[in-house]
């Protein structure tokens, strides 16, 4: 089992990393500004829960297999990048405001939730992060390494949901304020699409 001191240090370090600017948090902010706080919260929940998959991959060794193979890593990276750019393209092509009401908003949030989970899972850099970061807080002398990884992964999911949730609410309020002017929703949607396409290109760009 994970000791309380291990867990406390892990939680503190994770919180700092969660709020460090990166593609995931920018994605949530983009959704909030363009589509409101509910859409941003759906994105936050999707990215947070997607980390359960990466926890499982790390436990069974799949993440190690992907990151150890340049070909597999590149395939997953390009697939994730293409998916982000596809989402951005759909937002860019939208001819109306992306903020919906009622049943349409609920359906929109479900789609965003699924898209966010998939976008998280298809990012091999998240898998690499789990492999590099989590083992530093695992004490093999205490035994039950898979259980320790599961506890750390679950903690990270909760912290991500809380951190991204705050970002979602704040960006949603900014989006609500910006959308008060006529035609602003469409322009914001266009800008959000460009940002997601840029994130996809950044993910695909080879590291030096």
């Amino acid at each position: 089992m994970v000791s309380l001191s291990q867990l406390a240090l892990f939680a503190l370090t994770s919180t700092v990393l969660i709020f460090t600017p990166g593609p995931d948090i920018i994605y949530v902010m983009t959704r909030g500004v363009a589509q409101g706080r509910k859409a941003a919260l759906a994105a936050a929940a999707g990215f947070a829960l997607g980390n359960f998959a990466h926890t499982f991959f790390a436990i069974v060794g799949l993440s190690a297999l992907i990151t150890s193979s340049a070909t597999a890593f590149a395939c997953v990276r390009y697939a994730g990048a293409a998916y982000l750019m596809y989402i951005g393209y759909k937002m860019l092509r939208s001819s109306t405001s992306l903020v919906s009401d009622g049943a349409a908003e609920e359906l929109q949030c479900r789609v965003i939730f699924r898209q966010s989970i998939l976008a998280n899972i298809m990012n091999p850099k998240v898998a690499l992060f789990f492999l590099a970061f989590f083992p530093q807080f695992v004490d093999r002398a205490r035994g039950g390494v898979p259980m320790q990884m599961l506890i750390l992964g679950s903690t990270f999911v909760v912290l991500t949901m809380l951190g991204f949730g705050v970002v979602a609410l704040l960006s949603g309020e900014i989006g609500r304020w910006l959308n008060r002017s006529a035609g602003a929703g469409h322009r914001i949607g266009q800008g959000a699409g460009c940002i997601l396409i840029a994130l996809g290109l950044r993910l695909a760009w080879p590291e030096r």
Side-chain angles (χ1 to χ4, degrees), residues 105-160:
E105 182 181 38
E106 182 178 349
L107 177 61
Q108 179 188 69
C109 289
R110 290 179 182 176
V111 171
I112 292 172
F113 176 70
R114 292 194 298 267
Q115 288 177 339
S116 302
I117 290 178
L118 190 55
N120 182 291
I121 292 174
M122 294 175 70
N123 187 349
K125 293 183 180 180
V126 179
L128 184 61
F129 164 76
F130 270 66
L131 284 178
F133 179 60
F134 276 43
Q136 299 180 47
F137 299 91
V138 173
D139 186 355
R140 294 184 180 275
R142 299 179 69 90
V145 171
M147 180 56 68
Q148 290 188 55
M149 291 285 286
L150 182 59
I151 292 172
L152 293 176
S154 300
T155 302
F156 192 79
V157 167
V158 172
L159 292 173
T160 302

Side-chain angles (χ1 to χ4, degrees), residues 2 7 24 39 57 61 91-92 130 132-133 135 139 147 151 181 202:
V2 181
L7 196 58
D24 292 358
F57 295 157
M91 294 179 72
L92 191 62
F130 270 66
F133 179 60
D139 186 355
M147 180 56 68
I151 292 172
S181 60
R202 178 65 184 84

Side-chain angles (χ1 to χ4, degrees), residues 19-125:
F19 283 104
T20 300
D24 292 358
I25 202 167
I26 293 174
Y27 182 99
V28 173
M29 291 173 62
T30 300
R31 287 292 191 180
V33 172
Q35 295 169 283
R37 62 182 181 181
K38 288 186 178 180
L41 285 171
F47 274 109
L49 293 178
N51 289 322
F52 272 128
H54 286 289
T55 300
F56 173 75
F57 295 157
I59 290 173
V60 301
L62 182 58
S63 292
L65 181 63
I66 292 175
T67 55
S68 64
S69 169
T71 301
F73 188 88
C75 287
V76 176
R77 183 181 69 188
Y78 289 135
Y83 188 63
L84 269 180
M85 287 188 283
Y86 167 72
I87 297 173
Y89 175 76
K90 289 184 66 177
M91 294 179 72
L92 191 62
R93 294 285 295 174
S94 178
S95 59
T96 58
S97 172
L98 295 175
V99 179
S100 307
D101 296 310
E105 182 181 38
E106 182 178 349
L107 177 61
Q108 179 188 69
C109 289
R110 290 179 182 176
V111 171
I112 292 172
F113 176 70
R114 292 194 298 267
Q115 288 177 339
S116 302
I117 290 178
L118 190 55
N120 182 291
I121 292 174
M122 294 175 70
N123 187 349
K125 293 183 180 180

